[in-house]
Amino acid sequence: MKNETRQCQNCKKDFIIEPDDFSFYEKIKVPPPTFCPDCRFQRRLMWRNERSFYKRKCDLCEKDIIASYPSGAPFPVYCVKCWWSDKWDPASYGQDFDFSRPFFEQYKELQNKVPVLSIQNDDGIGSVNSEYSYDWAFSKNCYLGACGWHVENGAYMYNANYSKEVADVWSVSNSELVYESVTCDNCYNIKYCTLCFDSNHCALGFDLRGCSDCTMCVGLRSSKYCILNQQYSKEEYEKKVKELHLENRKSLEMRLKEFQELVLKIPRKFAYNIKTLNSTGNNLLEAKMSKDCFFIIGPTENSRFVVVNDRAKDCYDVNNTGNPELCYESVTPDNSRGNKSTVFCWKCVEAEYSNNCHSCVSVFGSTGLKHTSYAILNKRYSKEEYISLREKIITHMKKTGEWGEFFPHILSPFAYNETPASEWFPLTEEQARTKGYRWKEKEKRNYKSTKTSLDAPNTIAEVEDSFSDEIIECAHKGSCGENCTEAFKIIPRELVLYRKMNIPLPILCPNCRHCARLSRRNPPKLWKRACMKEGCKNEFETSYSPERPEIVYCEKCYQQEVY
């Protein structure tokens, strides 16, 4: 079998399906995709709302809650405790399949009837005091986190796992005392770091491994007491670090600019993959025989097009998940096997075209089921009836062109700019509406700032406990186009971390800080490039696009450069 070039039905660009891909699709009995990898990922992302939360009432207990859905949503919205309780029966919404109508049309009817989970977390079930988090589990005292688990005392996080006392982080795992850092693992007491591993007591670091007490350093290995990549004695280092005054916001901003200039001067590796074998992508940890994968923090094998993942095996096109196996085109199929075209179906076996079904076996076109087997459109069947009806529905979906395709964007309950698709694939309102995507108008804020960004003290030592009662005006004042909230508060546990790590208060709102971190991570996309080392002719696939300013080396040349 040879490579086959096809045209994406969405963006009209060509994409290649390789022999191994065909083998996978044949193994799980789905047709090859008609969307390219980028458009498939974008379509799945439109089913997540990670950062736009609303105050409303639970439609069952009528208590005030925080939800991913505003009041007026077309379906009932239950708080976490009510949704997981036995106070309602999702099977009572079951309906027969109508072979005279398309599947997606019938699924939409069911979706608009069955109560939905207010926000995707397990607060009060597996987590404690973590209600303001999305796609979050097994944690304690977490605030405004998205896509993570096993975290204690965290705030403003994305893809944080197995960590403690972290804030303003993007893809940080197995770490403690981490602030304003991106893609770091197994670190302790670090701040303003990117791509740092097995390191501690570092600040303003880039591509550090096994380092301790290094400040404003790039590309070091097993180093200690370094500043701007220069070696010092312990006494000299401690004296010079004090002279940098990183605890002062104005001095810190100046050092950040100096550090960024150094980062661009030093060559970097085409991909940052650790303990990885025969795999392509970026930020992979313990990946094997996997291609086009990104931000993988646990052993992953024989997989492709996996983005943000903690362990996977034999999976294609899954994102924001942990421990899936033989899953395809699914959003967060955690601890599941054989899922196809699912959204938030956890601990399931062969869930298909379903949303928010948990601990289920062989469910199709269903939503909100728990501990259920052999159900179609939430109606239960015997095993024999299920197998027969499922085959008939698949035959029907093949005729309508629906089988093998993920849910269309028009079924998503979220507007484009409510979803992370707007972060990974930014569009203007005009561009989004032209493509047929919904767009949510910005809501008017009903609060008034009590402090401007200029009122924020330059050092944390000057900040009193009462500052957590203030409403601070974001320095961007809503003019940045980054979903700025225009104002924000400092929560008490955040203040505790700033004092512990001697960090000046932020003057940007959490959304603006999040967008700044996004610019420090590469896209989940590969370009073919040549090594930039003079005289080297090696080529590779890298997530650094050709027009970027960084100096990118192949593995061999990079190893000759690192310190």
Side-chain angles (χ1 to χ4, degrees):
M1 191 178 294
K2 298 180 180 179
N3 288 348
E4 187 173 316
T5 300
R6 298 196 178 186
Q7 186 182 71
C8 174
Q9 67 160 294
N10 186 54
C11 68
K12 308 305 178 185
K13 295 180 180 178
D14 289 343
F15 67 100
I16 296 174
I17 301 178
E18 299 180 358
D20 288 345
D21 303 335
F22 282 112
S23 297
F24 176 81
Y25 302 137
E26 185 176 333
K27 181 179 181 180
I28 64 170
K29 298 180 181 179
V30 297
T34 63
F35 277 44
C36 69
D38 281 352
C39 289
R40 299 199 297 269
F41 182 39
Q42 181 186 37
R43 182 171 55 178
R44 294 194 305 275
L45 289 173
M46 284 191 269
W47 284 79
R48 293 173 62 90
N49 174 8
E50 299 173 345
R51 305 182 61 81
S52 297
F53 301 157
Y54 304 94
K55 290 183 178 180
R56 56 165 295 157
K57 289 186 179 295
C58 169
D59 286 323
L60 185 57
C61 69
E62 298 186 348
K63 291 181 180 178
D64 291 330
I65 60 172
I66 298 299
S68 300
Y69 313 92
S71 299
F75 35 70
V77 176
Y78 288 0
C79 69
V80 174
K81 289 186 178 179
C82 283
W83 194 89
W84 284 102
S85 74
D86 295 327
K87 296 177 181 178
W88 66 287
D89 182 9
S92 66
Y93 299 89
Q95 61 190 53
D96 293 321
F97 191 84
D98 184 349
F99 286 93
S100 69
R101 301 164 59 202
F103 165 77
F104 288 135
E105 182 181 299
Q106 298 177 66
Y107 182 83
K108 182 178 181 180
E109 289 180 359
L110 178 69
Q111 177 180 265
N112 287 345
K113 291 190 301 185
V114 180
V116 302
L117 183 61
S118 58
I119 191 168
Q120 202 71 36
N121 67 44
D122 64 349
D123 186 63
I125 310 297
S127 293
V128 177
N129 194 26
S130 302
E131 64 173 332
Y132 288 86
S133 296
Y134 181 87
D135 188 8
W136 209 261
F138 313 119
S139 296
K140 181 179 180 181
N141 301 330
C142 288
Y143 180 71
L144 291 184
C147 185
W149 54 14
H150 302 284
V151 177
E152 183 175 347
N153 299 332
Y156 314 116
M157 305 163 285
Y158 181 88
N159 192 28
N161 306 277
Y162 315 108
S163 295
K164 184 177 180 180
E165 293 195 90
V166 296
D168 283 301
V169 297
W170 201 98
S171 194
V172 167
S173 300
N174 306 300
S175 298
E176 184 175 349
L177 283 176
V178 179
Y179 178 70
E180 197 55 79
S181 295
V182 173
T183 314
C184 298
D185 181 78
N186 197 31
C187 291
Y188 176 81
N189 196 9
I190 65 169
K191 49 193 175 184
Y192 318 111
C193 289
T194 302
L195 290 166
C196 292
F197 304 92
D198 307 308
S199 298
N200 61 82
H201 297 93
C202 294
L204 294 169
F206 185 93
D207 185 20
L208 304 181
R209 292 191 191 175
C211 293
S212 174
D213 299 282
C214 289
T215 301
M216 300 178 68
C217 291
V218 181
L220 298 187
R221 299 292 182 268
S222 303
S223 297
K224 195 169 185 177
Y225 305 130
C226 295
I227 300 175
L228 291 170
N229 286 21
Q230 297 298 311
Q231 183 69 58
Y232 294 94
S233 67
K234 178 181 178 181
E235 294 74 18
E236 291 173 326
Y237 174 82
E238 291 174 347
K239 178 182 177 182
K240 287 187 174 293
V241 165
K242 287 183 179 180
E243 293 171 352
L244 293 174
H245 295 294
L246 298 182
E247 77 284 355
N248 184 290
R249 184 184 305 103
K250 292 182 178 178
S251 177
L252 174 63
E253 290 172 352
M254 182 174 65
R255 301 304 177 190
L256 274 169
K257 291 180 180 178
E258 186 179 352
F259 172 64
Q260 288 164 356
E261 291 174 0
L262 174 65
V263 168
L264 288 177
K265 290 178 181 177
I266 294 180
R268 63 190 61 193
K269 191 166 64 167
F270 71 99
Y272 287 88
N273 301 328
I274 300 174
K275 299 178 183 178
T276 295
L277 176 68
N278 294 333
S279 298
T280 63
N282 195 31
N283 299 132
L284 307 180
L285 177 62
E286 296 186 52
K288 181 170 66 173
M289 307 299 291
S290 296
K291 299 176 67 175
D292 299 282
C293 294
F294 303 86
F295 310 109
I296 305 298
I297 67 165
T300 294
E301 59 181 288
N302 301 323
S303 296
R304 194 171 190 189
F305 309 123
V306 176
V307 184
V308 183
N309 171 72
D310 177 9
R311 293 161 290 155
K313 184 178 181 182
D314 299 311
C315 290
Y316 267 52
D317 291 285
V318 299
N319 57 279
N320 301 91
T321 187
N323 202 31
E325 183 177 352
L326 269 178
C327 292
Y328 174 63
E329 273 274 57
S330 290
V331 179
T332 319
D334 290 0
N335 297 301
S336 293
R337 188 180 194 278
N339 284 12
K340 301 184 190 76
S341 297
T342 62
V343 180
F344 286 115
C345 288
W346 297 346
K347 298 181 180 179
C348 289
V349 177
E350 295 184 352
E352 299 170 301
Y353 288 98
S354 296
N355 188 350
N356 240 302
C357 293
H358 302 277
S359 301
C360 294
V361 176
S362 299
V363 293
F364 193 106
S366 296
T367 180
L369 297 179
K370 291 162 277 186
H371 301 283
T372 300
S373 298
Y374 309 119
I376 295 174
L377 293 177
N378 279 39
K379 184 176 179 179
R380 293 169 179 159
Y381 296 89
S382 68
K383 181 178 180 180
E384 294 74 18
E385 290 172 329
Y386 174 86
I387 292 172
S388 176
L389 182 56
R390 175 185 175 273
E391 288 302 317
K392 292 177 182 178
I393 292 173
I394 290 174
T395 300
H396 175 74
M397 291 177 69
K398 287 178 179 178
K399 292 177 182 177
T400 59
E402 297 170 301
W403 177 245
E405 296 295 335
F406 188 71
F407 294 110
H409 69 83
I410 57 173
L411 295 189
S412 170
F414 308 118
Y416 191 83
N417 56 327
E418 287 182 296
T419 73
S422 63
E423 298 175 355
W424 296 86
F425 301 92
L427 296 175
T428 64
E429 179 180 354
E430 182 180 359
Q431 289 171 329
R433 292 190 183 277
T434 298
K435 292 177 178 292
Y437 305 150
R438 290 190 297 115
W439 192 270
K440 185 173 178 61
E441 299 296 334
K442 190 173 183 178
E443 294 185 346
K444 291 184 179 180
R445 306 291 178 179
N446 58 0
Y447 49 72
K448 185 176 181 180
S449 300
T450 59
K451 297 284 186 181
T452 70
S453 58
L454 298 176
D455 295 325
N458 277 322
T459 67
I460 195 65
E462 304 169 74
V463 179
E464 298 180 355
D465 289 347
S466 60
F467 209 87
S468 61
D469 297 324
E470 306 289 352
I471 300 176
I472 309 168
E473 180 185 57
C474 177
H476 285 170
K477 302 179 182 180
S479 63
C480 56
E482 296 175 343
N483 199 22
C484 177
T485 61
E486 300 179 26
F488 64 102
K489 295 186 74 173
I490 302 294
I491 62 175
R493 78 184 74 143
E494 189 181 352
L495 198 56
V496 170
L497 182 65
Y498 294 155
R499 285 171 173 161
K500 187 177 289 188
M501 300 186 71
N502 202 14
I503 292 166
L505 290 180
I507 57 174
L508 297 179
C509 72
N511 278 1
C512 290
R513 303 200 302 265
H514 174 70
C515 287
R517 287 191 293 279
L518 292 180
S519 66
R520 292 161 58 188
R521 60 100 169 100
N522 285 12
K525 190 177 178 70
L526 295 175
W527 287 266
K528 288 187 177 181
R529 292 186 59 179
C531 179
M532 296 176 69
K533 174 77 171 181
E534 186 176 355
C536 181
K537 297 182 180 180
N538 287 337
E539 294 184 341
F540 43 71
E541 287 186 305
T542 178
S543 58
Y544 291 97
S545 61
E547 65 271 13
R548 288 180 56 157
E550 295 92 348
I551 304 170
V552 183
Y553 278 9
C554 67
E555 176 79 25
K556 181 180 178 181
C557 293
Y558 169 81
Q559 293 296 342
Q560 293 173 350
E561 290 285 337
V562 293
Y563 295 80

